[in-house]
Amino acid sequence: VGGLIVEPADPEPIRSLIKGENYIKPRREYVYTYQGLESSKWEVPADLPVDWTDNGKSITLKWLPTYSGQFTIKYGTQEKNIIVESLF
């Protein structure tokens, strides 16, 4: 009784049309899918250690190092923030 319960912050306060995990682990593959009508290309920051494959309206990506981080992927005007949790 009397304890404060804190919910983790939602990294997507405005709902994105890009569906997929908000929190990922290093060295695992994740798939993100654009669920809108727009036709565009995926954008992933080139200066980050991310391996990715464009599959049209979906993208497969993997954070390569074992340390944590954060980055944003884009499809047209839509963005999705991804938080990489520690491997341990």
Side-chain angles (χ1 to χ4, degrees):
V1 239
L4 177 64
I5 298 174
V6 179
E7 294 292 325
D10 183 356
E12 298 296 323
I14 298 172
R15 297 295 169 219
S16 172
L17 292 175
I18 299 173
K19 301 302 176 195
E21 298 290 326
N22 291 329
Y23 296 91
I24 66 172
K25 294 285 189 183
R27 298 189 177 176
R28 293 188 186 163
E29 286 190 352
Y30 294 86
V31 177
Y32 294 85
T33 305
Y34 172 70
Q35 297 185 329
L37 300 174
E38 192 176 348
S39 182
S40 189
K41 292 191 184 259
W42 289 99
E43 295 178 40
V44 178
D47 60 336
L48 294 177
V50 177
D51 187 18
W52 60 283
T53 305
D54 184 338
N55 304 312
K57 287 201 171 188
S58 68
I59 185 173
T60 303
L61 59 83
K62 177 172 36 173
W63 180 262
L64 299 174
T66 57
Y67 55 82
S68 60
Q70 181 174 341
F71 61 101
T72 301
I73 59 173
K74 297 180 184 179
Y75 187 90
T77 59
Q78 295 293 307
E79 296 184 355
K80 182 163 189 77
N81 295 318
I82 300 172
I83 298 168
V84 184
E85 299 177 312
S86 171
L87 188 58
F88 303 103

